[in-house]
Amino acid sequence: MICIIQNELRQSGFDLCHPIHTSWYNDLIRDEGLIESGALNPLPDPPALIPVAYDDDGGEGGTTTTTTTSWFCNAVLIGNTKSAWPHFLRWLSSEVDRTRGAGEEGDDAACDVPVDDDGAALKRISNPFDSFVEMTIVRAMRRCCRRDDDDRSRMVGSCEIFWSDGGRTIIDVDDDRDACYDDDCDRRRRVDDDDRDGNDGRSFLVSMTRVATTTGEYWHDADATRLCVHPTYGTWTAFRAVVVFGTSRRGGSISPSPPPPPPPPRQRPVVSVEEIGIAKLAFEYALDASSSNDGREGGGYGTTVGKPWAELRDYLQHGSTCAGISWEKVPDAMKPWIRLRDCISVGRERWKYDDAQLLYHYTRDINVLSMELRRVRDDERRGLIEGSVS
């Protein structure tokens, strides 16, 4: 089932999907005193039901006929590299077309979007990249968890998705009704603030970097730069969600497996002491530069350091923006945060985000998307012309 989930997500650009056991993360934050202090709360810890198979070469399998089940997981960490951006732009183009069509047909008379204006339609799509992430991951998990490939996959009765911004979505796999994300009634099935199990919301903000370190695939520079470094992708990764699998109410005859031991911590990749030193200076400069303001209402990234988790969750969910159509437009206090990742050379040449992706992720300037959408439209038109000539 893990291979099915990984393949499903990879087709939409989410090429990072790591099986985990939530006890690894819970033990880590407990050892750091973050549970006792109230800074973080543990993830749910349901029985581990999903087998993780490895091929004969020792890597996560599915490509060979002979596999060995080494352990069972109860969750996955989902993220992406630069690979998600082209998929997002295709989704965005389709959403703009859909939105324009709704305005043309009068499905939403209150908004009344001109049918010949991509820009107006784009403004109607709330938090475009976040919407793409949520819709894609929820659809993928719903499809994968309803597959009947083996007895253990049928034991999964629900998925609880913890998003990187502190939100939470619950998918009831046992529910026979298809709550498709094409329907407005289920476009964002977030758990309300009043339905947080008495934990005043703090339990839903997950430290994605800490989860990543438990996979044994990432090195976290917790002392100097806060950067999370992969030996292949370097700093050019982003974690979107932790998905926890719940047991089915319909029951079954398979007994859950005990929590497996976590992988050994990843040692520092091929990152020189000089690079770490440069990155540390860049981090300190960025922190100082944006501690007051980076062009965003209420202050910049630096103002989040030391904040209570509830306030940080609000900061992440507000989707505040600053100018970012070009490097010249980016506020001076924001630029050091963008440059910080560049200090590490591992993975930079191949996996660094393109300018448009980098600018949008840090500024959320919708003008970046307008520019990218025009480029996509031009490419589509050129493709049609070339196709007709050939």
Side-chain angles (χ1 to χ4, degrees), residues 238-266:
F239 306 116
R240 304 300 176 185
V242 171
V243 181
V244 181
F245 304 109
T247 55
S248 174
R249 296 188 301 271
R250 296 171 182 175
S253 58
I254 299 177
S255 300
S257 300
R266 166 70 63 175

Short mmCIF file of all heavy atoms in Angstrom, two decimals, residues 238-266:
data_model
loop_
_atom_site.label_atom_id
_atom_site.label_comp_id
_atom_site.label_asym_id
_atom_site.label_seq_id
_atom_site.Cartn_x
_atom_site.Cartn_y
_atom_site.Cartn_z
N ALA A 238 10.05 20.64 0.73
CA ALA A 238 9.01 21.26 1.56
C ALA A 238 8.07 20.16 2.03
O ALA A 238 7.67 19.30 1.24
CB ALA A 238 8.24 22.31 0.77
N PHE A 239 7.74 20.18 3.30
CA PHE A 239 6.86 19.16 3.88
C PHE A 239 5.46 19.73 4.02
O PHE A 239 5.28 20.82 4.56
CB PHE A 239 7.41 18.70 5.24
CG PHE A 239 8.84 18.24 5.16
CD1 PHE A 239 9.84 18.91 5.84
CD2 PHE A 239 9.18 17.14 4.40
CE1 PHE A 239 11.15 18.51 5.75
CE2 PHE A 239 10.50 16.72 4.29
CZ PHE A 239 11.49 17.42 4.97
N ARG A 240 4.50 18.99 3.51
CA ARG A 240 3.12 19.50 3.44
C ARG A 240 2.19 18.91 4.46
O ARG A 240 1.26 19.58 4.91
CB ARG A 240 2.57 19.21 2.02
CG ARG A 240 3.41 19.77 0.89
CD ARG A 240 3.55 21.27 1.00
NE ARG A 240 4.44 21.83 -0.04
CZ ARG A 240 4.80 23.09 -0.10
NH1 ARG A 240 4.36 23.95 0.79
NH2 ARG A 240 5.62 23.50 -1.05
N ALA A 241 2.38 17.64 4.82
CA ALA A 241 1.39 17.01 5.70
C ALA A 241 1.94 15.72 6.30
O ALA A 241 2.81 15.06 5.72
CB ALA A 241 0.11 16.70 4.93
N VAL A 242 1.40 15.38 7.45
CA VAL A 242 1.55 14.05 8.04
C VAL A 242 0.18 13.39 7.99
O VAL A 242 -0.81 13.97 8.46
CB VAL A 242 2.07 14.10 9.48
CG1 VAL A 242 2.01 12.72 10.13
CG2 VAL A 242 3.49 14.64 9.52
N VAL A 243 0.11 12.20 7.42
CA VAL A 243 -1.15 11.46 7.32
C VAL A 243 -1.08 10.26 8.27
O VAL A 243 -0.20 9.41 8.12
CB VAL A 243 -1.43 10.98 5.89
CG1 VAL A 243 -2.76 10.23 5.83
CG2 VAL A 243 -1.42 12.15 4.92
N VAL A 244 -1.99 10.21 9.23
CA VAL A 244 -2.04 9.13 10.21
C VAL A 244 -3.19 8.20 9.86
O VAL A 244 -4.33 8.65 9.67
CB VAL A 244 -2.20 9.68 11.64
CG1 VAL A 244 -2.21 8.53 12.66
CG2 VAL A 244 -1.08 10.66 11.97
N PHE A 245 -2.92 6.91 9.79
CA PHE A 245 -3.93 5.92 9.41
C PHE A 245 -4.64 5.39 10.65
O PHE A 245 -4.00 4.92 11.59
CB PHE A 245 -3.29 4.75 8.66
CG PHE A 245 -2.51 5.16 7.45
CD1 PHE A 245 -1.12 5.10 7.44
CD2 PHE A 245 -3.16 5.63 6.31
CE1 PHE A 245 -0.40 5.49 6.32
CE2 PHE A 245 -2.44 6.01 5.19
CZ PHE A 245 -1.05 5.95 5.20
N GLY A 246 -5.97 5.45 10.62
CA GLY A 246 -6.76 4.92 11.72
C GLY A 246 -7.34 3.55 11.37
O GLY A 246 -7.54 3.23 10.20
N THR A 247 -7.63 2.75 12.38
CA THR A 247 -8.16 1.41 12.14
C THR A 247 -9.63 1.47 11.75
O THR A 247 -10.36 2.40 12.11
CB THR A 247 -8.01 0.54 13.39
OG1 THR A 247 -8.63 1.20 14.50
CG2 THR A 247 -6.54 0.31 13.70
N SER A 248 -10.06 0.46 11.03
CA SER A 248 -11.42 0.41 10.54
C SER A 248 -12.39 -0.02 11.62
O SER A 248 -12.09 -0.88 12.45
CB SER A 248 -11.51 -0.56 9.35
OG SER A 248 -12.85 -0.72 8.94
N ARG A 249 -13.58 0.58 11.60
CA ARG A 249 -14.63 0.16 12.52
C ARG A 249 -15.17 -1.21 12.15
O ARG A 249 -15.81 -1.87 12.95
CB ARG A 249 -15.79 1.17 12.50
CG ARG A 249 -15.41 2.56 13.00
CD ARG A 249 -16.65 3.43 13.13
NE ARG A 249 -17.37 3.57 11.87
CZ ARG A 249 -17.13 4.53 10.98
NH1 ARG A 249 -16.16 5.41 11.19
NH2 ARG A 249 -17.85 4.61 9.87
N ARG A 250 -14.92 -1.61 10.92
CA ARG A 250 -15.45 -2.90 10.45
C ARG A 250 -14.63 -4.08 10.97
O ARG A 250 -14.99 -5.23 10.79
CB ARG A 250 -15.48 -2.91 8.93
CG ARG A 250 -16.44 -1.85 8.37
CD ARG A 250 -16.30 -1.70 6.88
NE ARG A 250 -17.20 -0.66 6.39
CZ ARG A 250 -17.22 -0.24 5.13
NH1 ARG A 250 -16.40 -0.77 4.24
NH2 ARG A 250 -18.06 0.71 4.77
N GLY A 251 -13.50 -3.76 11.57
CA GLY A 251 -12.72 -4.80 12.23
C GLY A 251 -11.99 -5.70 11.26
O GLY A 251 -11.99 -5.52 10.05
N GLY A 252 -11.34 -6.68 11.80
CA GLY A 252 -10.56 -7.62 11.00
C GLY A 252 -9.84 -8.58 11.91
O GLY A 252 -9.83 -8.44 13.13
N SER A 253 -9.20 -9.55 11.30
CA SER A 253 -8.57 -10.62 12.07
C SER A 253 -7.07 -10.42 12.25
O SER A 253 -6.41 -11.25 12.87
CB SER A 253 -8.81 -11.96 11.38
OG SER A 253 -8.29 -11.93 10.05
N ILE A 254 -6.50 -9.33 11.69
CA ILE A 254 -5.06 -9.13 11.75
C ILE A 254 -4.70 -8.33 12.99
O ILE A 254 -5.27 -7.27 13.25
CB ILE A 254 -4.55 -8.40 10.49
CG1 ILE A 254 -4.87 -9.24 9.26
CG2 ILE A 254 -3.07 -8.10 10.58
CD1 ILE A 254 -4.48 -8.61 7.96
N SER A 255 -3.73 -8.83 13.76
CA SER A 255 -3.30 -8.13 14.97
C SER A 255 -2.29 -7.05 14.59
O SER A 255 -1.44 -7.27 13.74
CB SER A 255 -2.65 -9.12 15.94
OG SER A 255 -3.58 -10.12 16.31
N PRO A 256 -2.37 -5.88 15.23
CA PRO A 256 -1.41 -4.82 14.94
C PRO A 256 -0.01 -5.20 15.39
O PRO A 256 0.18 -5.96 16.35
CB PRO A 256 -1.95 -3.64 15.73
CG PRO A 256 -2.75 -4.23 16.83
CD PRO A 256 -3.36 -5.48 16.25
N SER A 257 0.99 -4.67 14.70
CA SER A 257 2.38 -4.93 15.05
C SER A 257 2.87 -3.88 16.03
O SER A 257 2.39 -2.76 16.05
CB SER A 257 3.25 -4.89 13.78
OG SER A 257 2.82 -5.88 12.86
N PRO A 258 3.85 -4.22 16.86
CA PRO A 258 4.37 -3.24 17.82
C PRO A 258 5.15 -2.15 17.10
O PRO A 258 5.60 -2.33 15.97
CB PRO A 258 5.30 -4.10 18.70
CG PRO A 258 5.69 -5.25 17.82
CD PRO A 258 4.50 -5.54 16.98
N PRO A 259 5.29 -0.99 17.73
CA PRO A 259 6.04 0.09 17.10
C PRO A 259 7.47 -0.33 16.79
O PRO A 259 8.15 -0.91 17.64
CB PRO A 259 6.01 1.21 18.15
CG PRO A 259 4.85 0.90 19.02
CD PRO A 259 4.74 -0.59 19.04
N PRO A 260 7.95 -0.07 15.59
CA PRO A 260 9.33 -0.43 15.25
C PRO A 260 10.29 0.60 15.81
O PRO A 260 9.90 1.74 16.11
CB PRO A 260 9.31 -0.39 13.72
CG PRO A 260 8.29 0.65 13.41
CD PRO A 260 7.23 0.54 14.47
N PRO A 261 11.55 0.25 15.98
CA PRO A 261 12.52 1.26 16.41
C PRO A 261 12.75 2.26 15.28
O PRO A 261 12.68 1.91 14.11
CB PRO A 261 13.78 0.43 16.69
CG PRO A 261 13.63 -0.79 15.83
CD PRO A 261 12.16 -1.08 15.80
N PRO A 262 13.03 3.53 15.61
CA PRO A 262 13.26 4.52 14.56
C PRO A 262 14.58 4.28 13.85
O PRO A 262 15.50 3.66 14.42
CB PRO A 262 13.29 5.84 15.33
CG PRO A 262 13.73 5.46 16.72
CD PRO A 262 13.14 4.10 16.96
N PRO A 263 14.70 4.74 12.61
CA PRO A 263 15.98 4.64 11.91
C PRO A 263 17.05 5.46 12.64
O PRO A 263 16.73 6.40 13.37
CB PRO A 263 15.68 5.25 10.53
CG PRO A 263 14.20 5.26 10.41
CD PRO A 263 13.68 5.40 11.79
N PRO A 264 18.30 5.12 12.44
CA PRO A 264 19.36 5.93 13.06
C PRO A 264 19.35 7.35 12.50
O PRO A 264 19.00 7.55 11.33
CB PRO A 264 20.65 5.19 12.68
CG PRO A 264 20.29 4.37 11.47
CD PRO A 264 18.85 4.01 11.65
N PRO A 265 19.69 8.35 13.29
CA PRO A 265 19.68 9.74 12.81
C PRO A 265 20.62 9.92 11.62
O PRO A 265 21.68 9.31 11.56
CB PRO A 265 20.16 10.54 14.03
CG PRO A 265 19.93 9.65 15.21
CD PRO A 265 20.09 8.25 14.71
N ARG A 266 20.22 10.75 10.69
CA ARG A 266 21.05 11.07 9.53
C ARG A 266 22.23 11.95 9.96
O ARG A 266 22.04 12.96 10.62
CB ARG A 266 20.20 11.79 8.48
CG ARG A 266 20.98 12.48 7.38
CD ARG A 266 21.66 11.53 6.44
NE ARG A 266 20.72 10.69 5.70
CZ ARG A 266 21.09 9.84 4.75
NH1 ARG A 266 22.37 9.72 4.42
NH2 ARG A 266 20.20 9.10 4.14
#
